[in-house]
Amino acid sequence: MSWRDSLVPGDEHDEALAAQVHPAGWTAPEPRERYDLVVLGAGTAGLVAAAGAAGVGASVALVERGLMGGDCLNVGCVPSKALLAAARAVADARRLGEFGARADGVAADFPAVMERLRRLRAGLAPHDGAARFASLGVSVFLGEARFTGPDAVAVAGKTLRFKKAVIATGARAAVPVLPGLGEAGYLTNETVFALTELPPRLAVLGGGPIGCELAQAFARLGSSVTLVSSTARLLPKDPPEAGALVEAALRRDGVEVLLRARPAAVSGAGADTVVTVAANGVSRAVRCDRILVAVGRRPNVEGLGLEAAGVDFDPERGVVVDDFLRTTNPRVYASGDACLEWKFTHAADAASRLVVQNALFLGRKRASSLIVPWCTFTDPEVARVGLTPEAAARSGLPHRVFDLPMTGVDRAVLDGDTEGFLQVVAGKGGRVLGATMVSRHAGESIGQLTMAVRKGLTMADLSATIQPYPVQADAIRRAGDAWNRSRLTPFTKSLLKSLLRFTA
């Protein structure tokens, strides 16, 4: 697909966006004799690498064939969170009766919701735009890039020679082989944000983060949504308790959830679209107006001339890299969704900071040392970092699990957000090995637990960290308190009682 398919033709906000991140008539500079660093792809991974290298004095060329800003700005984090914020506002308005207030006849104005999304996205675009990066001293080239040798890239009829290069071409939505899907037409995250009218009926294929987030949002905005997942539970990479809470929330918002269900075929188009689904040996028809495909991501590695550069790759897993994010060509590194298992904006950012050090300054920073949290922005949110209890058990690590329901957190009670929990996995000496948090603001709290895992902090450290009262993050301190209480064995209590008698 073309990058233009993700924009609304003639829309003033999308025209303003394109003027920043793929300006018409952009004049690229004449290439230098040799660049210190050539970066392929101007998504988060590429932008961070280019800005970081230029900031320390390196000569940098940045090549982008589509929209600068990549998925995050254009078809990922930014538009999706604008959509989710609108859907949450509608849902909150419908809950006003719980708080002693009234708002009759609450309904979403979908065209206005999407206009706001496009306006806010365009407002954020200059930070990722061509003009800004040119002002940083980066040579910006718009067009298809292709390696022509181990130290050269061709783009728009020009050759860019390099000392080092970074492949940061990202990933795209994976599309299943499903009879009739192409003929019926379908949406992905790359096209769904260009909608201007609400689909009356939406079928969502996929029970991962993107599928769950968008299924809930569209249901809250007024679509009749059916989510079809081949897995036994939603969010299969997260603990079962988290997936169960998200499933309950989606059902409460009106989403029909079909688990262990595989789409077999699609027939018709438009308002006559039918997805035939096989579930537990029974076939059923899901009638819809639009289909949203959210079954995973596929790395963008085709058409880059990687063979000419001596860079090994796998069409499914992406560019092959070592722990230093170096490819099979020692001059070439990779970062972001093109090579990482963690396909998150913040992971791409962290990996590119590492790449700049390793590629330009003989650094030995390892990707395996990164502690990467993640968050699914459903309502409630699901945030995770480090080891789950199952992962700790598989690794043979001695551990204990501390669970705290959000019903035990005062601020959650006062906010009416008691749906959720905090689960912390503690290892030897109470060291924090991992955590999962399910709450309305879990994403805002997981950073504290990420720091704890990264720095080797203990449950006692969590208990000793003062949280402002009342906040939902107080669940973290309370989990630490639970650890402290668990250490009060009968012998310890007896010893302390004896000590008190002597100090009276």
Side-chain angles (χ1 to χ4, degrees), residues 45 80 87 226 261 264 302 423 453:
S80 69
T226 301
E302 301 87 353
Q423 180 183 84
V453 174

Side-chain angles (χ1 to χ4, degrees), residues 130-196:
R132 174 174 179 260
F133 274 78
S135 73
L136 297 177
V138 176
S139 298
V140 178
F141 296 85
L142 300 179
E144 298 274 353
R146 185 178 183 86
F147 285 98
T148 57
D151 65 347
V153 167
V155 56
K158 298 179 180 181
T159 297
L160 311 180
R161 298 197 176 278
F162 57 81
K163 296 179 183 177
K164 298 290 173 62
V166 177
I167 300 167
T169 49
R172 63 189 184 278
V175 179
V177 178
L178 190 59
L181 180 62
E183 292 78 5
Y186 57 88
L187 300 164
T188 68
N189 72 291
E190 296 167 18
T191 53
V192 69
F193 302 113
L195 289 176
T196 55

Side-chain angles (χ1 to χ4, degrees), residues 470-490:
V471 293
Q472 294 195 21
D474 194 46
I476 298 171
R477 179 186 63 83
R478 288 172 180 254
D481 290 347
W483 158 263
N484 286 337
R485 288 194 299 273
S486 74
R487 299 170 65 197
L488 289 173
T489 64

